[in-house]
Amino acid sequence: MTFTSSFHYQALPMRVSFEVGAVTKVGEELDRLGLSRALVLCTPEQNHLADLVMDHLGDRGAGIFDQARMHVPVETADRARDRARELGADSCVVIGGGSSIGLGKAIALEHGLPIIAIPTTYAGSEMTPIWGLTRDGRKQTGRDAKVLPQSVIYDPQLTATLPAEISAASGLNAVAHAVEALYAPDASPIISLMAEEGVRAFAESLAAVVADGNDLDARSKALYGAWLCGACLGATTMSLHHKLCHVLGGSLDLPHAQTHAIVLPYVLAYNESHAPAARAALQRALGTDGDPSTALWDLEQQLQIPHSLEELGVRETQLPAVIDEVLSNPYSNPTPVTEDGLRHLLGQALRGDRPTRR
């Protein structure tokens, strides 16, 4: 990007608190916002973290809803909204990853309840006004300012127990936000700087996080990267990678972060020759003179994640329907999206091949 380029940048209005032990101050965040009765949201597996939040909320805690699920099924969202109404909640404190934060957004979308988000993964949803709901196997997404959390608490200590595979997949999911922000049609110099720094933070921390989950320096750098990458997701338009993963996840009920991690190198290989500025930024961030897609694929081979869609249970016979749905709605992408191109991309992702351009 040159100084003669035109761009627009809209800063997102939220407060960020980043500190080891920051979860203990969640009650102070409610007080600062003038809120007094929070419903705590989480997945069933993270009920113990919801209990921790309730302890720190004291009499500000209205109760816990612990049924958050991937891709936010509308049925789950309806039950959570009903629970918030029954308890007279004036806000939601969400602890967990994209599933929990997405559920909080579903409540905010209908009832306008403000959100305080405490991420325990690197998904980045807490930094965006993007919501998603899945109905009858189809995931619908949209943007609305009222689903943007008003306060985000980043506590690296809460990520220390995140298993190695989930840490790696969640980190790569975050990297995908930054990658697509670098070639987004509404990119800006600020977002491009954040995207490059976010990818660099993960490139320098993910292997250490996987090797020792209690390494708080590495955990802090990864969570810092998640913040930057999430901000990129919230400020720009995503392209082929996110469209493809939403279709795969929504129609085949695949795990969100793992799907993003597997697909990312292949979409990058599809796009990088048509996005030279993004390619150069990713080369710097990943420390390579070659193709960023290959460098990213090489990094992923060192991490404890599934490396092919086949490992997630996807069958080749399911891919034509995915391709048809992706092609049915046009969207911005640096490389024209074609049926042949998608067939090559998804075939490689299905098998876990080293990524190549068609």
Side-chain angles (χ1 to χ4, degrees), residues 174-185:
V175 168
H177 309 330
V179 167
E180 294 227 294
L182 284 166
Y183 53 63

Side-chain angles (χ1 to χ4, degrees), residues 6-343:
S6 298
F7 64 89
H8 301 278
Y9 171 64
Q10 177 67 53
L12 298 177
M14 65 167 60
R15 171 182 162 90
V16 171
S17 299
F18 195 112
E19 180 185 0
V20 173
V23 68
T24 63
K25 301 177 182 178
V26 61
E28 297 174 21
E29 286 300 302
L30 249 72
D31 293 342
R32 190 186 64 81
L33 293 167
L35 302 169
S36 61
R37 190 163 178 80
L39 175 64
V40 180
L41 305 176
C42 67
T43 62
E45 297 78 14
Q46 293 186 307
N47 196 277
H48 63 290
L49 292 178
D51 288 336
L52 175 67
V53 170
M54 287 289 286
D55 288 344
H56 292 303
L57 286 175
D59 59 9
R60 308 177 192 87
I64 295 173
F65 183 88
D66 63 357
Q67 298 301 310
R69 287 187 55 202
M70 286 189 305
H71 309 303
V72 196
V74 290
E75 298 82 4
T76 302
D78 288 343
R79 290 197 300 272
R81 290 163 176 163
D82 290 344
R83 186 63 174 152
R85 189 185 303 109
E86 290 167 6
L87 293 172
D90 66 359
S91 55
C92 292
V93 173
V94 183
I95 188 160
S99 299
S100 299
I101 293 168
L103 181 59
K105 290 179 174 183
I107 296 175
L109 190 65
E110 180 164 311
H111 298 307
L113 296 189
I115 301 169
I116 295 175
I118 310 174
T120 61
T121 72
Y122 308 130
S125 176
E126 70 279 357
M127 297 304 296
T128 82
I130 302 169
W131 56 266
L133 287 167
T134 299
R135 184 189 303 273
D136 299 327
R138 288 182 177 268
K139 188 168 185 177
Q140 177 188 4
T141 61
R143 284 177 178 258
D144 194 309
K146 67 184 177 184
V147 309
L148 184 74
Q150 294 195 12
S151 179
V152 180
I153 296 173
Y154 286 110
D155 186 342
Q157 200 160 14
L158 294 179
T159 67
T161 58
L162 196 64
E165 178 184 326
I166 298 176
S167 296
S170 181
L172 291 163
N173 178 24
V175 168
H177 309 330
V179 167
E180 294 227 294
L182 284 166
Y183 53 63
D186 47 2
S188 70
I190 294 296
I191 289 300
S192 295
L193 287 170
M194 294 172 73
E196 182 176 336
E197 175 68 0
V199 173
R200 182 180 294 109
F202 276 115
E204 294 174 352
S205 64
L206 272 185
V209 162
V210 168
D212 179 7
N214 291 310
D215 183 339
L216 280 184
D217 285 340
R219 287 289 189 186
S220 295
K221 181 173 280 191
L223 200 56
Y224 164 68
W227 171 26
L228 295 176
C229 293
C232 293
L233 173 65
T236 57
T237 302
M238 296 290 103
S239 301
L240 175 59
H241 174 83
H242 283 74
K243 174 66 174 180
L244 191 51
C245 289
H246 283 162
V247 173
L248 284 164
S251 62
L252 303 181
D253 196 27
L254 303 183
H256 180 86
Q258 288 85 346
T259 303
H260 277 264
I262 291 166
V263 170
L264 179 58
Y266 303 103
V267 176
L268 185 51
Y270 190 90
N271 280 330
E272 60 194 352
S273 64
H274 286 75
R279 184 177 188 273
L282 291 169
Q283 285 177 318
R284 293 190 296 268
L286 295 168
T288 181
D289 294 327
D291 288 337
S293 58
T294 302
L296 190 57
W297 186 86
D298 287 339
L299 172 63
E300 292 193 6
Q301 303 315 298
Q302 305 171 37
L303 303 175
Q304 301 175 35
I305 60 168
H307 295 111
S308 70
L309 291 176
E310 283 182 334
E311 292 178 62
L312 300 184
V314 178
R315 302 184 305 276
E316 188 171 4
T317 55
Q318 295 173 306
L319 297 183
V322 170
I323 291 171
D324 287 345
E325 186 169 345
V326 170
L327 292 173
S328 67
N329 294 304
Y331 46 90
S332 175
N333 193 68
T335 304
V337 180
T338 67
E339 183 176 349
D340 284 347
L342 288 176
R343 190 180 300 114

